Amino acid sequence: MHWFILIVAGLFEVAFASCLGKAKETTGVEVYWWYAGFLLSLSISMLLLIKATENLPIGTAYAVWTGIGAVGTVLMGIFLFKDPASFWRIFFIITLIGSILGLKLVSH
């Protein structure tokens, strides 16, 4: 259950990073809605990370949390923000996913 909570926390990390990206692209009142989404997603992500680390090693949990956030944010950038999807970006995303899975496998 704690791994599931950690994965959801990582997805909310993707959400808060994406809200920051959208806030940079907007103007007027809309920018405040994106910043509100950022603050809400950030709060939920942190609370879930705290909950997950009750039974998971902090080093492993933090590495997995940031890894999910990094991979998810890069993929959101590619699919939603039209960031480039070069060979090396995809290669390193795959190696990062492998590292996240490896940490999960070696953790008790």
Side-chain angles (χ1 to χ4, degrees):
M1 183 63 172
H2 293 283
W3 282 104
F4 176 75
I5 292 171
L6 183 61
I7 291 167
V8 174
L11 294 175
F12 274 100
E13 184 183 2
V14 174
F16 77 69
S18 298
C19 286
L20 279 179
K22 290 300 283 184
K24 286 181 8 181
E25 296 178 351
T26 59
T27 59
V29 176
E30 187 179 355
V31 75
Y32 296 112
W33 287 108
W34 287 112
Y35 283 129
F38 164 76
L39 290 173
L40 181 64
S41 299
L42 176 66
S43 299
I44 293 170
S45 182
M46 291 296 158
L47 290 171
L48 291 173
L49 178 62
I50 291 167
K51 182 72 175 163
T53 57
E54 290 175 357
N55 286 26
L56 296 174
I58 186 69
T60 301
Y62 183 73
V64 170
W65 178 76
T66 57
I68 291 169
V71 168
T73 303
V74 169
L75 292 176
M76 290 286 284
I78 290 170
F79 292 115
L80 294 181
F81 300 115
K82 307 298 186 246
D83 290 347
S86 68
F87 169 80
W88 288 112
R89 288 189 84 185
I90 302 302
F91 173 79
F92 286 117
I93 289 170
I94 291 169
T95 60
L96 186 53
I97 292 168
S99 298
I100 292 167
L101 293 174
L103 283 171
K104 162 90 171 84
L105 290 174
V106 299
S107 296
H108 294 60

